[in-house]
Amino acid sequence: MIVRQFINWIRTAPAGERAEATRALARAWLISDLSEDDRIAAEGALLMLLDDPSPLVRQAMAEVFARSAEAPAAIVQALAVDQPGIALPVLEHSPLLIDADLVDIVATGNNEMQCAIARRINLPASVGAAIAEVGCAAAALELIENANAELAPFSWDRIVERHGHLAAIREAMLVLEGLPAATRMALVAKLSETLAQFVVARNWLSADRAGRIASEACERSTVHIAARSRGEEMRGLVAHLRTTGQLTAGLILRALLSGNLELFHAALAELSGLPQARIAALLHDRGAASLDALLIRAGLPESTFAAFRAALEASHEAGYVGSIDGAVRLRRRMVERVLTHCETDRQAAEPLLILLRRFATESAREEARVFCEELVAEEALAPLEHDLIAA
C-alpha cells in the first residue's frame, strides 16, 4: 500500500523531493523489515525510477546502493553504466560488479569511470591488465597508487610502454619498493629517451651526442638496479636487457669493472646459454682459453677479450664488493689497470680504448666527488667531537 502511494505521488513531485524520497525508499529496501509483497513492489518502483528524467533521482540510488552487497543487482548494473556523476560511486565501491563487468566498462567508459575502477579495493589482476592496456594515463596513475591493486608483471611493462614518457607515471612507479627490476630499467630507458629528445629539440646537443649520453646514463642505472637484484629478478632484468638490445659488451665490461660479479655472471649465462654454476667454474679457472671460449660462446667481440681478461684478473685481486653502493660505481684502479693493459696491446681496437678512457674519466670524477663529500662530512662532525671532548 505504501509503495503504491509512493508511485502515485512521485509522478508529480519536484525533482529534489523525488530524489529524497528515492533515497528513503532505497534505504528502506536495505534495512527495513518489509513484507515480501512490499519488497517486490519497492524493487519495482526503484527499477522504474531508473528512467526518471532527473539525474538527482538516480544519483540518490547510487549513493545508497554503492557499497552494499544486498542491493538489487539489476539496479546496480544499470547505475554502473549511467552518466559518470551517477556511476562513479558504484564503479569504485560496489561488490556486486564482477570482473567481466569492470573490464567491459574500462574498455567502453570514459576517463573518470576508468579512474574510479582503478581505485577499487582488492582490484583483481584481470581488471588491472585492462586498465594497463587501454586505460588513460590518469587511470594508470590511480592504479599505480592503489596499494590494494593486483598487477601482473606484463601489466607494469604495458604501463611503461604506453605512459612511461610522463613524469607523474615515472615518479609514482620508481618509488615502489616491489617494482620488478626489468620494469624499473624500462622506466629509466624511457626517461633517458625523453631527456635526449628534449635537449635535441632545443638544439642544446646534437642527436648523436645526446644519444650517447643517454646510453651511458642507462648503463650506469642498469648497474645500480642490478646491484639490488637477486635470483629470479636478476635473470628477468638480464633477459629484458637482451630483448631490448642493451646487453652489450660495454655494459658487461662496466659491470665487471664496478665489481658487480652477479650481473657479470648473469649476463654471460644469458648470452651463452650455460648455467650460472658453469659460468662461475669457468671464470674461477682463470685460464685465458676458458675465458675466451666463454666469451666466444656469448657472442662478444673478440676485440674486447683482452679487456675482459685484464678486468677479471684485477677483480680477483681486488676481491668481492661487499656493499651495494660499492657495486654501482666504476672502480678507478681497476679501470686504469685495464686501460694501461689495452693501450700497450697493439690488437686493441680504438672503440674499446675510447670506451675505457671514458670509464677512466667517469671513475676519477666519481672518486673525487665521494672524497669531497667525505671531507664535508668530517668537517661537519668536527665541532661535535670537540664539544664531546670538552664535556
Side-chain angles (χ1 to χ4, degrees):
M1 183 64 69
I2 295 176
V3 174
R4 185 180 296 112
Q5 293 173 352
F6 172 84
I7 293 173
N8 289 329
W9 169 81
I10 209 167
R11 296 179 188 278
T12 57
E17 293 182 15
R18 295 202 307 274
E20 288 305 314
T22 300
R23 189 188 311 275
L25 181 60
R27 286 175 177 166
W29 197 93
L30 287 179
I31 63 176
S32 296
D33 188 15
L34 299 175
S35 67
E36 185 64 22
D37 289 342
D38 283 343
R39 194 169 187 79
I40 294 173
E43 183 174 357
L46 291 168
L47 285 167
M48 179 196 71
L49 289 168
L50 289 172
D51 297 321
D52 193 285
S54 174
L56 294 176
V57 173
R58 304 192 303 281
Q59 185 174 359
M61 271 194 286
E63 291 171 355
V64 174
F65 289 145
R67 299 174 185 269
S68 175
E70 306 300 325
I75 292 176
V76 170
Q77 290 281 348
L79 294 172
V81 294
D82 209 315
Q83 56 184 271
I86 296 167
L88 295 185
V90 174
L91 293 175
E92 184 171 350
H93 302 293
S94 178
L96 298 179
L97 297 175
I98 64 174
D99 296 356
D101 295 330
L102 297 171
V103 169
D104 182 64
I105 294 171
V106 166
T108 59
N110 65 11
N111 293 358
E112 288 180 285
M113 298 170 83
Q114 291 176 349
C115 289
I117 293 172
R119 291 191 294 268
R120 287 177 67 91
I121 296 175
N122 298 325
L123 190 72
S126 59
V127 182
I131 295 172
E133 186 64 32
V134 300
C136 63
L141 185 59
E142 294 280 7
L143 184 63
I144 294 166
E145 294 178 343
N146 185 350
N148 297 307
E150 184 181 340
L151 208 57
F154 70 86
S155 295
W156 287 115
D157 294 338
R158 189 64 176 136
I159 291 174
V160 174
E161 184 180 346
R162 296 183 62 234
H163 306 298
H165 62 286
L166 301 174
I169 296 290
R170 291 195 305 271
E171 291 171 4
M173 292 182 71
L174 287 172
V175 298
L176 297 176
E177 290 291 337
L179 190 68
T183 304
R184 196 175 294 276
M185 190 61 240
L187 277 173
V188 170
K190 277 285 187 179
L191 174 59
S192 298
E193 179 185 341
T194 301
L195 292 177
Q197 292 174 352
F198 178 80
V199 297
V200 169
R202 281 155 180 74
N203 294 320
W204 293 348
L205 291 174
S206 67
D208 290 343
R209 173 69 173 164
R212 196 187 78 182
I213 292 175
S215 178
E216 291 175 354
C218 276
E219 286 188 357
R220 289 194 294 271
S221 297
T222 299
V223 177
H224 193 280
I225 293 169
R228 291 162 169 78
S229 304
R230 297 290 183 273
E232 191 62 34
E233 188 172 34
M234 175 69 83
R235 288 188 288 273
L237 172 61
V238 172
H240 167 79
L241 293 171
R242 185 181 188 182
T243 301
T244 55
Q246 299 178 74
L247 196 58
T248 62
L251 173 61
I252 299 171
L253 185 57
R254 174 186 283 274
L256 182 54
L257 290 173
S258 300
N260 194 329
L261 295 181
E262 288 195 40
L263 176 56
F264 179 61
H265 290 179
L268 291 180
E270 174 69 25
L271 293 173
S272 68
L274 296 174
Q276 288 206 34
R278 179 61 175 159
I279 298 290
L282 289 171
L283 296 177
H284 183 72
D285 181 46
R286 301 197 185 187
S290 298
L291 178 61
D292 288 355
L294 176 58
L295 297 177
I296 290 172
R297 177 158 180 158
L300 297 179
E302 189 175 352
S303 59
T304 63
F305 288 7
F308 278 110
R309 283 195 296 268
L312 193 59
E313 185 63 31
S315 177
H316 287 312
E317 294 179 7
Y320 178 75
V321 177
S323 67
I324 290 177
D325 290 337
V328 299
R329 295 191 300 268
L330 288 165
R331 303 167 79 175
R332 184 179 181 183
R333 300 297 175 263
M334 287 178 60
V335 173
E336 291 176 347
R337 175 172 170 173
V338 174
L339 176 59
T340 300
H341 175 82
C342 291
E343 284 177 335
T344 59
D345 185 353
R346 295 182 179 180
Q347 295 182 345
E350 188 63 28
L352 174 62
L353 294 176
I354 292 173
L355 176 65
L356 290 172
R357 290 184 186 116
R358 286 207 300 267
F359 283 174
T361 300
E362 180 185 328
S363 60
R365 293 176 64 176
E366 183 65 21
E367 186 177 278
R369 183 188 65 80
V370 173
F371 174 74
C372 291
E373 288 179 353
E374 291 174 351
L375 284 180
V376 171
E378 290 175 1
E379 188 69 20
L381 288 175
L384 297 176
E385 293 177 352
H386 180 270
D387 292 342
L388 288 173
I389 294 171

